[in-house]
Amino acid sequence: MSYGPMHRKEDARFIRGRGNYTDDVRLPGMLYGAILRSPHAHARIVSVDTSAAEAHPKVRAVITGQTLAGLNLAWMPTLSQDTQAVLATDKVRFQGQEVAFVVAEDAYSARDALELIDVEYEPLDAVIDARNALDPGAPVIRDDLEGRTGNHIFDWEAGDRARTDALFEQAEVTVAQDMIYPRVHPAPLETCGALADFDKVTGKLTVWCPTQAPHAHRTLYAMVAGLPEHKIRVISPDIGGGFGGKVGIYPGYVCAIVGSIVTGKPVKWMEDRSENLMSTAFARDYHMRGEVAATRDGRIQAIRVKVLADHGAFNGTAQPTKFPAGFFHVFSGSYDIEAAHCEVTGVYTNKAPGGVAYACSFRVTEAVYLVERMVDVLAAELGLDPAELRMRNLLKPEQFPYTSPTGWEYDSGDYPKALRLAMDMAGYDKLRAEQADKRARGELMGIGVSFFTEAVGAGPRKHMDILGLGMADGAELRVHPTGKAVLRVSCQSQGQGHETTFAQIVGQELGIPADDVEVVHGDTDQTPFGLGTYGSRSTPVSGAAAALVSRKVRDRAKIVAAAMLEASPDDLEWADGKWSVVGDPSAGRSMAEIALAAHSNLELPDGVEGHLDAVTVYNPPNLTYPFGAYICVVDVDPGTGQVKVRRFVAVDDCGVRINPMIVEGQIHGGLADGVGMALMQVMAFDEDGNHLGASFMDYLLPTAMECPSWELGATVTPSPTHPIGAKGVGESATVGSPAAVVNAVVDALGPYGVRHADMPLTPANVWRVVNGDPFRTDLAIP
Amino acid sequence: MRITVTVNGQPYTRDVEPRLLLVHFLRDELDLTGTHWGCDTSNCGVCTVQLDGVPVKSCTVLAVMADGHEVTTVEGLERDGELDAVQKGFVECHGLQCGFCTPGMLLTARWLLDRNPDPDEGQIREAISGQLCRCTGYENIVRSIRWAAEAGR
Ligand code: FES
Ligand code: FES
């Protein structure tokens, strides 16, 4: 019963090696698939010769773009209403793009056979740097699209341009800064893959796949492949991390399905790590120019930004249809700003598709990074302490609910309290004194502050859908005769611990132990429809559904209890986990007693069915807006350029915490992401479009050595719109922390006149600055 | 090639291709799927097992190299129904989220505690520095191993 730290139910299997990830699933007669990928970023396919591969004794099928074209499956829709090649027919458009699919008796033979496929390419000029995509002479990447003469995808804007520009014209102080949020990849340790099993006799297709959105996948398979939806079952078993990279449908999934239909056998395809890094959803890749207008005493009046968004070769971002730049327009952040305006232009390049992934809350990450860097740039211009400048501009508690200049309705918050707590925990003044001492001795120490407001828990469905599917989540709850319960939800955990947290929600609402609640998820045949787990929406949406369906059950239990107590339901009250007659709590009936009665021969009032269960669909009235204040302390070695994160203080407010242990774990993980992105991780390309980060030797992820011991603090401001006052938290730290790290490094490099530096702040990049070169703002790694 | 490998105390004899990796031998031949695979370059460590008591990345060992040797996988940590202290520690301190890195972390943790029953935070971080975790930010993994050290005293 009740909220609080509770050991996770899912741990019992994981610590014994008994998790069940997609690659652990084995079926009798199963075959193995492998994908041949393009070595070129942009090339015309002249010919594909599969005869030698087909002659391999262990090969059962070779599928090419031509095979798929015959089935009308060579192209599939993306989540942004574009199309994407499943297997290339005409051209390849990024290095690593899928060209052919081999099905063989074992995984090693499938890979051997890839070497036997002969593809003749005619290389074409490639567009790698988004800044060249709109040049008049740029090669047209998507000549497959009718009438397409350039690489422009969309222009989109939000906010009030006239008012913003007017404030800029009159402003006492303005600052501007170009910055890049580089392309990164979520790199969950489990790669993507699928096991497809098409049963010709029953016509049923079962797909095991680590998808964060099993129901969306089922519906899309039905729409794309023309298979009847009730004959499709998507099972998302245990997922080895997702972080947004496992939302979309990848060509390999479709290939595995086609492979199973063609061979009549189950076909498993698991990508390797370089395939994962080269072809599955990247994140960010925003080239931004931010500007801030302020008074000389540090009152921020307006903010505007222009963005050039690199969407890769196919526009495949996973985000609500209405918002081609995701929630980027929440970029006025946590501050009381009069006016704001943003313009975003999306372009195609010869790089992998994606853009919205990696715990970004539909691009709140980019928005927070932009505003938090701009505040520091302004602080430097005004000669003000960055924490003090934030304090002067933060929204005040009495301003909530607050409508932002771009139309967001922030639900609740006490921002100054969170920042003050973070400063107290960090010993901010002492740190500044230490920094001054060190500077005097020529040592480089930096203190970085960031404050973020997240926007998570999409819908409402009126405003938020993916390919027409509204973002509302179902839940079903059944209480068995002995008072044990089973909750079925549509979202799918990738490590967030839903089996525990959701059981706690039901337990709290029904007055039964969380251990008595089984949570079923990740199987479309067993769970109600819903849009899945991403954008920190599980607790805000499915968690709310779990609470509300429990309340429905509780209301039904009230009628049963009234019959048991021979009282009117109106005379009953819910107290201490029991229904009892007002004023007589001792005779109350527990949920277990009521459940048994509901299944018994007890006479129930007319119109009341027996048993104890309910279904619901939760369509959130608004997003939830978690927030937090982060402070990072770094030491920079001027001799090597190495940045050491010495301390990281994180105060998070995600409303009511159901299981604080799990919440803190989510924050820890996101903070490591922030350190990784700020200092190490980048998906770089050379000018021919060769991927320079296609393995973990080149795409560096933080280990235990790069991470400090995180220092966490909490404030609790319940969400007024969520039934239990909770807000999402899964992505808060990934959203909020990169700016704190970068601000700290820039602060450390202050003596060199540095005001901005683009991620990743690798030793080479930092060393260059220390040695008198300007920071590089382009991302080609020398 | 015919090889005999003792895994979690039990000998297994199989005919294998010389190129078969130990990780695939364990997973596909012996159905011990607790050992995971996560990269092509020996960087991630989710494949970590103990070979003759020493942690190795089983993606970087050929099955034939394990011929005549002893392998311990995560499935071998629990003894007679009793969880190893490191397994308990990971539950106690929330040392896992998605669980994909966990088996490898547990085997390294066990090796560390066998050599050094009272490691400090720095020693723990160094011991697991060849293994990635994308979920926990390492904080609770460190605490879990400390918990196991204290429980073992
Ligand atoms: S699988 Fe990554 S190190 Fe072995
Ligand atoms: S718990 Fe997910 S990778 Fe470590």
Side-chain angles (χ1 to χ4, degrees), chain A residues 412-414 417-418 421 627 651-657 660 713-719 724-727:
Chain A
S412 61
D414 187 340
K417 183 171 156 194
L421 176 58
F627 59 92
V651 172
D652 271 88
D653 191 322
C654 56
V656 171
R657 296 182 172 206
T715 60
V716 176
T717 315
S719 167
I724 59 175
K727 304 182 179 188

mmCIF file with all atom_site columns, all heavy atoms in Angstrom, chain A residues 412-414 417-418 421 627 651-657 660 713-719 724-727:
data_model
loop_
_atom_site.group_PDB
_atom_site.id
_atom_site.type_symbol
_atom_site.label_atom_id
_atom_site.label_alt_id
_atom_site.label_comp_id
_atom_site.label_asym_id
_atom_site.label_entity_id
_atom_site.label_seq_id
_atom_site.pdbx_PDB_ins_code
_atom_site.Cartn_x
_atom_site.Cartn_y
_atom_site.Cartn_z
_atom_site.occupancy
_atom_site.B_iso_or_equiv
_atom_site.pdbx_formal_charge
_atom_site.auth_seq_id
_atom_site.auth_comp_id
_atom_site.auth_asym_id
_atom_site.auth_atom_id
_atom_site.pdbx_PDB_model_num
ATOM 1   N N   . SER A 1 412 ? 2.193  23.924 -12.748 1.00 0.00 ? 412 SER A N   1
ATOM 2   C CA  . SER A 1 412 ? 2.496  24.337 -11.374 1.00 0.00 ? 412 SER A CA  1
ATOM 3   C C   . SER A 1 412 ? 4.003  24.388 -11.179 1.00 0.00 ? 412 SER A C   1
ATOM 4   O O   . SER A 1 412 ? 4.754  23.720 -11.890 1.00 0.00 ? 412 SER A O   1
ATOM 5   C CB  . SER A 1 412 ? 1.899  23.335 -10.371 1.00 0.00 ? 412 SER A CB  1
ATOM 6   O OG  . SER A 1 412 ? 2.464  22.043 -10.564 1.00 0.00 ? 412 SER A OG  1
ATOM 7   N N   . GLY A 1 413 ? 4.421  25.167 -10.199 1.00 0.00 ? 413 GLY A N   1
ATOM 8   C CA  . GLY A 1 413 ? 5.846  25.212 -9.929  1.00 0.00 ? 413 GLY A CA  1
ATOM 9   C C   . GLY A 1 413 ? 6.219  26.235 -8.891  1.00 0.00 ? 413 GLY A C   1
ATOM 10  O O   . GLY A 1 413 ? 5.523  27.231 -8.710  1.00 0.00 ? 413 GLY A O   1
ATOM 11  N N   . ASP A 1 414 ? 7.304  25.936 -8.187  1.00 0.00 ? 414 ASP A N   1
ATOM 12  C CA  . ASP A 1 414 ? 7.935  26.944 -7.338  1.00 0.00 ? 414 ASP A CA  1
ATOM 13  C C   . ASP A 1 414 ? 9.408  26.946 -7.731  1.00 0.00 ? 414 ASP A C   1
ATOM 14  O O   . ASP A 1 414 ? 10.223 26.226 -7.154  1.00 0.00 ? 414 ASP A O   1
ATOM 15  C CB  . ASP A 1 414 ? 7.740  26.612 -5.854  1.00 0.00 ? 414 ASP A CB  1
ATOM 16  C CG  . ASP A 1 414 ? 8.242  27.749 -4.962  1.00 0.00 ? 414 ASP A CG  1
ATOM 17  O OD1 . ASP A 1 414 ? 9.051  28.578 -5.460  1.00 0.00 ? 414 ASP A OD1 1
ATOM 18  O OD2 . ASP A 1 414 ? 7.852  27.807 -3.783  1.00 0.00 ? 414 ASP A OD2 1
ATOM 19  N N   . LYS A 1 417 ? 12.364 28.317 -5.310  1.00 0.00 ? 417 LYS A N   1
ATOM 20  C CA  . LYS A 1 417 ? 12.654 27.385 -4.215  1.00 0.00 ? 417 LYS A CA  1
ATOM 21  C C   . LYS A 1 417 ? 13.619 26.296 -4.683  1.00 0.00 ? 417 LYS A C   1
ATOM 22  O O   . LYS A 1 417 ? 14.567 25.932 -3.973  1.00 0.00 ? 417 LYS A O   1
ATOM 23  C CB  . LYS A 1 417 ? 11.333 26.766 -3.747  1.00 0.00 ? 417 LYS A CB  1
ATOM 24  C CG  . LYS A 1 417 ? 11.432 25.825 -2.584  1.00 0.00 ? 417 LYS A CG  1
ATOM 25  C CD  . LYS A 1 417 ? 10.007 25.490 -2.126  1.00 0.00 ? 417 LYS A CD  1
ATOM 26  C CE  . LYS A 1 417 ? 9.945  24.171 -1.400  1.00 0.00 ? 417 LYS A CE  1
ATOM 27  N NZ  . LYS A 1 417 ? 8.549  23.723 -1.270  1.00 0.00 ? 417 LYS A NZ  1
ATOM 28  N N   . ALA A 1 418 ? 13.364 25.768 -5.879  1.00 0.00 ? 418 ALA A N   1
ATOM 29  C CA  . ALA A 1 418 ? 14.233 24.709 -6.397  1.00 0.00 ? 418 ALA A CA  1
ATOM 30  C C   . ALA A 1 418 ? 15.651 25.228 -6.634  1.00 0.00 ? 418 ALA A C   1
ATOM 31  O O   . ALA A 1 418 ? 16.632 24.562 -6.298  1.00 0.00 ? 418 ALA A O   1
ATOM 32  C CB  . ALA A 1 418 ? 13.642 24.139 -7.686  1.00 0.00 ? 418 ALA A CB  1
ATOM 33  N N   . LEU A 1 421 ? 17.416 25.750 -3.322  1.00 0.00 ? 421 LEU A N   1
ATOM 34  C CA  . LEU A 1 421 ? 17.825 24.481 -2.726  1.00 0.00 ? 421 LEU A CA  1
ATOM 35  C C   . LEU A 1 421 ? 19.095 23.956 -3.403  1.00 0.00 ? 421 LEU A C   1
ATOM 36  O O   . LEU A 1 421 ? 20.035 23.512 -2.733  1.00 0.00 ? 421 LEU A O   1
ATOM 37  C CB  . LEU A 1 421 ? 16.685 23.440 -2.833  1.00 0.00 ? 421 LEU A CB  1
ATOM 38  C CG  . LEU A 1 421 ? 17.009 22.031 -2.330  1.00 0.00 ? 421 LEU A CG  1
ATOM 39  C CD1 . LEU A 1 421 ? 17.434 22.046 -0.864  1.00 0.00 ? 421 LEU A CD1 1
ATOM 40  C CD2 . LEU A 1 421 ? 15.794 21.100 -2.513  1.00 0.00 ? 421 LEU A CD2 1
ATOM 41  N N   . PHE A 1 627 ? 10.130 20.247 -13.455 1.00 0.00 ? 627 PHE A N   1
ATOM 42  C CA  . PHE A 1 627 ? 11.193 21.248 -13.592 1.00 0.00 ? 627 PHE A CA  1
ATOM 43  C C   . PHE A 1 627 ? 12.325 20.927 -12.637 1.00 0.00 ? 627 PHE A C   1
ATOM 44  O O   . PHE A 1 627 ? 12.212 20.021 -11.800 1.00 0.00 ? 627 PHE A O   1
ATOM 45  C CB  . PHE A 1 627 ? 10.643 22.659 -13.327 1.00 0.00 ? 627 PHE A CB  1
ATOM 46  C CG  . PHE A 1 627 ? 10.031 22.818 -11.962 1.00 0.00 ? 627 PHE A CG  1
ATOM 47  C CD1 . PHE A 1 627 ? 10.785 23.254 -10.879 1.00 0.00 ? 627 PHE A CD1 1
ATOM 48  C CD2 . PHE A 1 627 ? 8.692  22.520 -11.751 1.00 0.00 ? 627 PHE A CD2 1
ATOM 49  C CE1 . PHE A 1 627 ? 10.219 23.400 -9.615  1.00 0.00 ? 627 PHE A CE1 1
ATOM 50  C CE2 . PHE A 1 627 ? 8.108  22.651 -10.479 1.00 0.00 ? 627 PHE A CE2 1
ATOM 51  C CZ  . PHE A 1 627 ? 8.876  23.089 -9.422  1.00 0.00 ? 627 PHE A CZ  1
ATOM 52  N N   . VAL A 1 651 ? 18.396 19.216 -8.409  1.00 0.00 ? 651 VAL A N   1
ATOM 53  C CA  . VAL A 1 651 ? 17.127 19.308 -7.680  1.00 0.00 ? 651 VAL A CA  1
ATOM 54  C C   . VAL A 1 651 ? 16.006 19.158 -8.697  1.00 0.00 ? 651 VAL A C   1
ATOM 55  O O   . VAL A 1 651 ? 15.897 19.945 -9.640  1.00 0.00 ? 651 VAL A O   1
ATOM 56  C CB  . VAL A 1 651 ? 17.005 20.654 -6.938  1.00 0.00 ? 651 VAL A CB  1
ATOM 57  C CG1 . VAL A 1 651 ? 15.596 20.812 -6.355  1.00 0.00 ? 651 VAL A CG1 1
ATOM 58  C CG2 . VAL A 1 651 ? 18.047 20.749 -5.833  1.00 0.00 ? 651 VAL A CG2 1
ATOM 59  N N   . ASP A 1 652 ? 15.224 18.117 -8.528  1.00 0.00 ? 652 ASP A N   1
ATOM 60  C CA  . ASP A 1 652 ? 14.129 17.849 -9.460  1.00 0.00 ? 652 ASP A CA  1
ATOM 61  C C   . ASP A 1 652 ? 12.794 17.959 -8.757  1.00 0.00 ? 652 ASP A C   1
ATOM 62  O O   . ASP A 1 652 ? 12.647 17.522 -7.621  1.00 0.00 ? 652 ASP A O   1
ATOM 63  C CB  . ASP A 1 652 ? 14.253 16.425 -10.026 1.00 0.00 ? 652 ASP A CB  1
ATOM 64  C CG  . ASP A 1 652 ? 15.103 16.407 -11.281 1.00 0.00 ? 652 ASP A CG  1
ATOM 65  O OD1 . ASP A 1 652 ? 16.327 16.280 -11.139 1.00 0.00 ? 652 ASP A OD1 1
ATOM 66  O OD2 . ASP A 1 652 ? 14.534 16.545 -12.390 1.00 0.00 ? 652 ASP A OD2 1
ATOM 67  N N   . ASP A 1 653 ? 11.841 18.520 -9.474  1.00 0.00 ? 653 ASP A N   1
ATOM 68  C CA  . ASP A 1 653 ? 10.468 18.529 -8.988  1.00 0.00 ? 653 ASP A CA  1
ATOM 69  C C   . ASP A 1 653 ? 9.610  17.860 -10.053 1.00 0.00 ? 653 ASP A C   1
ATOM 70  O O   . ASP A 1 653 ? 9.427  18.400 -11.142 1.00 0.00 ? 653 ASP A O   1
ATOM 71  C CB  . ASP A 1 653 ? 9.990  19.966 -8.740  1.00 0.00 ? 653 ASP A CB  1
ATOM 72  C CG  . ASP A 1 653 ? 8.661  20.003 -7.989  1.00 0.00 ? 653 ASP A CG  1
ATOM 73  O OD1 . ASP A 1 653 ? 7.794  19.130 -8.268  1.00 0.00 ? 653 ASP A OD1 1
ATOM 74  O OD2 . ASP A 1 653 ? 8.478  20.902 -7.141  1.00 0.00 ? 653 ASP A OD2 1
ATOM 75  N N   . CYS A 1 654 ? 9.161  16.659 -9.757  1.00 0.00 ? 654 CYS A N   1
ATOM 76  C CA  . CYS A 1 654 ? 8.293  15.957 -10.710 1.00 0.00 ? 654 CYS A CA  1
ATOM 77  C C   . CYS A 1 654 ? 6.952  15.684 -10.052 1.00 0.00 ? 654 CYS A C   1
ATOM 78  O O   . CYS A 1 654 ? 6.317  14.662 -10.286 1.00 0.00 ? 654 CYS A O   1
ATOM 79  C CB  . CYS A 1 654 ? 8.952  14.684 -11.209 1.00 0.00 ? 654 CYS A CB  1
ATOM 80  S SG  . CYS A 1 654 ? 9.439  13.539 -9.917  1.00 0.00 ? 654 CYS A SG  1
ATOM 81  N N   . GLY A 1 655 ? 6.547  16.601 -9.193  1.00 0.00 ? 655 GLY A N   1
ATOM 82  C CA  . GLY A 1 655 ? 5.275  16.422 -8.515  1.00 0.00 ? 655 GLY A CA  1
ATOM 83  C C   . GLY A 1 655 ? 5.373  15.283 -7.512  1.00 0.00 ? 655 GLY A C   1
ATOM 84  O O   . GLY A 1 655 ? 6.444  15.002 -6.966  1.00 0.00 ? 655 GLY A O   1
ATOM 85  N N   . VAL A 1 656 ? 4.249  14.618 -7.289  1.00 0.00 ? 656 VAL A N   1
ATOM 86  C CA  . VAL A 1 656 ? 4.201  13.517 -6.318  1.00 0.00 ? 656 VAL A CA  1
ATOM 87  C C   . VAL A 1 656 ? 5.070  12.370 -6.819  1.00 0.00 ? 656 VAL A C   1
ATOM 88  O O   . VAL A 1 656 ? 4.989  11.978 -7.981  1.00 0.00 ? 656 VAL A O   1
ATOM 89  C CB  . VAL A 1 656 ? 2.742  13.055 -6.133  1.00 0.00 ? 656 VAL A CB  1
ATOM 90  C CG1 . VAL A 1 656 ? 2.680  11.776 -5.303  1.00 0.00 ? 656 VAL A CG1 1
ATOM 91  C CG2 . VAL A 1 656 ? 1.922  14.172 -5.481  1.00 0.00 ? 656 VAL A CG2 1
ATOM 92  N N   . ARG A 1 657 ? 5.921  11.852 -5.958  1.00 0.00 ? 657 ARG A N   1
ATOM 93  C CA  . ARG A 1 657 ? 6.792  10.734 -6.329  1.00 0.00 ? 657 ARG A CA  1
ATOM 94  C C   . ARG A 1 657 ? 6.177  9.424  -5.858  1.00 0.00 ? 657 ARG A C   1
ATOM 95  O O   . ARG A 1 657 ? 6.037  9.211  -4.660  1.00 0.00 ? 657 ARG A O   1
ATOM 96  C CB  . ARG A 1 657 ? 8.178  10.911 -5.725  1.00 0.00 ? 657 ARG A CB  1
ATOM 97  C CG  . ARG A 1 657 ? 8.887  12.139 -6.266  1.00 0.00 ? 657 ARG A CG  1
ATOM 98  C CD  . ARG A 1 657 ? 10.292 12.301 -5.715  1.00 0.00 ? 657 ARG A CD  1
ATOM 99  N NE  . ARG A 1 657 ? 10.941 13.400 -6.442  1.00 0.00 ? 657 ARG A NE  1
ATOM 100 C CZ  . ARG A 1 657 ? 12.247 13.519 -6.604  1.00 0.00 ? 657 ARG A CZ  1
ATOM 101 N NH1 . ARG A 1 657 ? 13.062 12.636 -6.088  1.00 0.00 ? 657 ARG A NH1 1
ATOM 102 N NH2 . ARG A 1 657 ? 12.746 14.521 -7.287  1.00 0.00 ? 657 ARG A NH2 1
ATOM 103 N N   . PRO A 1 660 ? 10.081 6.925  -4.946  1.00 0.00 ? 660 PRO A N   1
ATOM 104 C CA  . PRO A 1 660 ? 11.232 7.840  -5.011  1.00 0.00 ? 660 PRO A CA  1
ATOM 105 C C   . PRO A 1 660 ? 12.521 7.133  -5.432  1.00 0.00 ? 660 PRO A C   1
ATOM 106 O O   . PRO A 1 660 ? 13.373 7.732  -6.091  1.00 0.00 ? 660 PRO A O   1
ATOM 107 C CB  . PRO A 1 660 ? 11.354 8.370  -3.580  1.00 0.00 ? 660 PRO A CB  1
ATOM 108 C CG  . PRO A 1 660 ? 10.044 8.107  -2.935  1.00 0.00 ? 660 PRO A CG  1
ATOM 109 C CD  . PRO A 1 660 ? 9.433  6.924  -3.616  1.00 0.00 ? 660 PRO A CD  1
ATOM 110 N N   . GLY A 1 713 ? 18.456 16.412 -4.971  1.00 0.00 ? 713 GLY A N   1
ATOM 111 C CA  . GLY A 1 713 ? 17.531 17.044 -4.047  1.00 0.00 ? 713 GLY A CA  1
ATOM 112 C C   . GLY A 1 713 ? 16.152 17.068 -4.682  1.00 0.00 ? 713 GLY A C   1
ATOM 113 O O   . GLY A 1 713 ? 16.023 16.862 -5.888  1.00 0.00 ? 713 GLY A O   1
ATOM 114 N N   . ALA A 1 714 ? 15.141 17.307 -3.882  1.00 0.00 ? 714 ALA A N   1
ATOM 115 C CA  . ALA A 1 714 ? 13.783 17.282 -4.428  1.00 0.00 ? 714 ALA A CA  1
ATOM 116 C C   . ALA A 1 714 ? 12.930 18.375 -3.822  1.00 0.00 ? 714 ALA A C   1
ATOM 117 O O   . ALA A 1 714 ? 13.062 18.703 -2.640  1.00 0.00 ? 714 ALA A O   1
ATOM 118 C CB  . ALA A 1 714 ? 13.137 15.931 -4.142  1.00 0.00 ? 714 ALA A CB  1
ATOM 119 N N   . THR A 1 715 ? 12.072 18.953 -4.647  1.00 0.00 ? 715 THR A N   1
ATOM 120 C CA  . THR A 1 715 ? 10.933 19.696 -4.133  1.00 0.00 ? 715 THR A CA  1
ATOM 121 C C   . THR A 1 715 ? 9.706  19.025 -4.749  1.00 0.00 ? 715 THR A C   1
ATOM 122 O O   . THR A 1 715 ? 9.828  18.333 -5.754  1.00 0.00 ? 715 THR A O   1
ATOM 123 C CB  . THR A 1 715 ? 10.967 21.195 -4.522  1.00 0.00 ? 715 THR A CB  1
ATOM 124 O OG1 . THR A 1 715 ? 10.967 21.310 -5.953  1.00 0.00 ? 715 THR A OG1 1
ATOM 125 C CG2 . THR A 1 715 ? 12.204 21.881 -3.968  1.00 0.00 ? 715 THR A CG2 1
ATOM 126 N N   . VAL A 1 716 ? 8.562  19.186 -4.122  1.00 0.00 ? 716 VAL A N   1
ATOM 127 C CA  . VAL A 1 716 ? 7.366  18.512 -4.619  1.00 0.00 ? 716 VAL A CA  1
ATOM 128 C C   . VAL A 1 716 ? 6.240  19.522 -4.818  1.00 0.00 ? 716 VAL A C   1
ATOM 129 O O   . VAL A 1 716 ? 5.708  20.068 -3.865  1.00 0.00 ? 716 VAL A O   1
ATOM 130 C CB  . VAL A 1 716 ? 6.897  17.399 -3.645  1.00 0.00 ? 716 VAL A CB  1
ATOM 131 C CG1 . VAL A 1 716 ? 5.586  16.784 -4.132  1.00 0.00 ? 716 VAL A CG1 1
ATOM 132 C CG2 . VAL A 1 716 ? 7.964  16.316 -3.514  1.00 0.00 ? 716 VAL A CG2 1
ATOM 133 N N   . THR A 1 717 ? 5.944  19.795 -6.087  1.00 0.00 ? 717 THR A N   1
ATOM 134 C CA  . THR A 1 717 ? 4.808  20.646 -6.431  1.00 0.00 ? 717 THR A CA  1
ATOM 135 C C   . THR A 1 717 ? 3.856  19.783 -7.254  1.00 0.00 ? 717 THR A C   1
ATOM 136 O O   . THR A 1 717 ? 4.125  19.521 -8.420  1.00 0.00 ? 717 THR A O   1
ATOM 137 C CB  . THR A 1 717 ? 5.252  21.860 -7.281  1.00 0.00 ? 717 THR A CB  1
ATOM 138 O OG1 . THR A 1 717 ? 6.436  22.428 -6.708  1.00 0.00 ? 717 THR A OG1 1
ATOM 139 C CG2 . THR A 1 717 ? 4.169  22.916 -7.336  1.00 0.00 ? 717 THR A CG2 1
ATOM 140 N N   . PRO A 1 718 ? 2.772  19.311 -6.661  1.00 0.00 ? 718 PRO A N   1
ATOM 141 C CA  . PRO A 1 718 ? 1.897  18.391 -7.391  1.00 0.00 ? 718 PRO A CA  1
ATOM 142 C C   . PRO A 1 718 ? 1.334  19.029 -8.666  1.00 0.00 ? 718 PRO A C   1
ATOM 143 O O   . PRO A 1 718 ? 1.113  20.236 -8.721  1.00 0.00 ? 718 PRO A O   1
ATOM 144 C CB  . PRO A 1 718 ? 0.776  18.091 -6.401  1.00 0.00 ? 718 PRO A CB  1
ATOM 145 C CG  . PRO A 1 718 ? 1.328  18.423 -5.064  1.00 0.00 ? 718 PRO A CG  1
ATOM 146 C CD  . PRO A 1 718 ? 2.295  19.561 -5.293  1.00 0.00 ? 718 PRO A CD  1
ATOM 147 N N   . SER A 1 719 ? 1.097  18.179 -9.666  1.00 0.00 ? 719 SER A N   1
ATOM 148 C CA  . SER A 1 719 ? 0.404  18.660 -10.861 1.00 0.00 ? 719 SER A CA  1
ATOM 149 C C   . SER A 1 719 ? -1.086 18.728 -10.567 1.00 0.00 ? 719 SER A C   1
ATOM 150 O O   . SER A 1 719 ? -1.674 17.746 -10.141 1.00 0.00 ? 719 SER A O   1
ATOM 151 C CB  . SER A 1 719 ? 0.629  17.710 -12.037 1.00 0.00 ? 719 SER A CB  1
ATOM 152 O OG  . SER A 1 719 ? -0.292 18.036 -13.056 1.00 0.00 ? 719 SER A OG  1
ATOM 153 N N   . ILE A 1 724 ? -3.161 11.920 -9.535  1.00 0.00 ? 724 ILE A N   1
ATOM 154 C CA  . ILE A 1 724 ? -2.425 11.754 -8.278  1.00 0.00 ? 724 ILE A CA  1
ATOM 155 C C   . ILE A 1 724 ? -1.319 12.798 -8.126  1.00 0.00 ? 724 ILE A C   1
ATOM 156 O O   . ILE A 1 724 ? -0.443 12.660 -7.277  1.00 0.00 ? 724 ILE A O   1
ATOM 157 C CB  . ILE A 1 724 ? -1.844 10.322 -8.141  1.00 0.00 ? 724 ILE A CB  1
ATOM 158 C CG1 . ILE A 1 724 ? -0.909 9.988  -9.295  1.00 0.00 ? 724 ILE A CG1 1
ATOM 159 C CG2 . ILE A 1 724 ? -2.965 9.301  -8.057  1.00 0.00 ? 724 ILE A CG2 1
ATOM 160 C CD1 . ILE A 1 724 ? -0.236 8.627  -9.129  1.00 0.00 ? 724 ILE A CD1 1
ATOM 161 N N   . GLY A 1 725 ? -1.370 13.819 -8.956  1.00 0.00 ? 725 GLY A N   1
ATOM 162 C CA  . GLY A 1 725 ? -0.422 14.936 -8.789  1.00 0.00 ? 725 GLY A CA  1
ATOM 163 C C   . GLY A 1 725 ? 0.979  14.655 -9.296  1.00 0.00 ? 725 GLY A C   1
ATOM 164 O O   . GLY A 1 725 ? 1.906  15.421 -9.036  1.00 0.00 ? 725 GLY A O   1
ATOM 165 N N   . ALA A 1 726 ? 1.134  13.559 -10.046 1.00 0.00 ? 726 ALA A N   1
ATOM 166 C CA  . ALA A 1 726 ? 2.476  13.206 -10.519 1.00 0.00 ? 726 ALA A CA  1
ATOM 167 C C   . ALA A 1 726 ? 2.776  13.896 -11.846 1.00 0.00 ? 726 ALA A C   1
ATOM 168 O O   . ALA A 1 726 ? 1.866  14.231 -12.604 1.00 0.00 ? 726 ALA A O   1
ATOM 169 C CB  . ALA A 1 726 ? 2.596  11.700 -10.682 1.00 0.00 ? 726 ALA A CB  1
ATOM 170 N N   . LYS A 1 727 ? 4.046  14.086 -12.111 1.00 0.00 ? 727 LYS A N   1
ATOM 171 C CA  . LYS A 1 727 ? 4.510  14.565 -13.412 1.00 0.00 ? 727 LYS A CA  1
ATOM 172 C C   . LYS A 1 727 ? 5.530  13.544 -13.919 1.00 0.00 ? 727 LYS A C   1
ATOM 173 O O   . LYS A 1 727 ? 6.075  12.773 -13.153 1.00 0.00 ? 727 LYS A O   1
ATOM 174 C CB  . LYS A 1 727 ? 5.173  15.939 -13.275 1.00 0.00 ? 727 LYS A CB  1
ATOM 175 C CG  . LYS A 1 727 ? 4.292  17.015 -12.622 1.00 0.00 ? 727 LYS A CG  1
ATOM 176 C CD  . LYS A 1 727 ? 5.006  18.363 -12.581 1.00 0.00 ? 727 LYS A CD  1
ATOM 177 C CE  . LYS A 1 727 ? 4.109  19.446 -11.956 1.00 0.00 ? 727 LYS A CE  1
ATOM 178 N NZ  . LYS A 1 727 ? 4.699  20.799 -12.086 1.00 0.00 ? 727 LYS A NZ  1
#
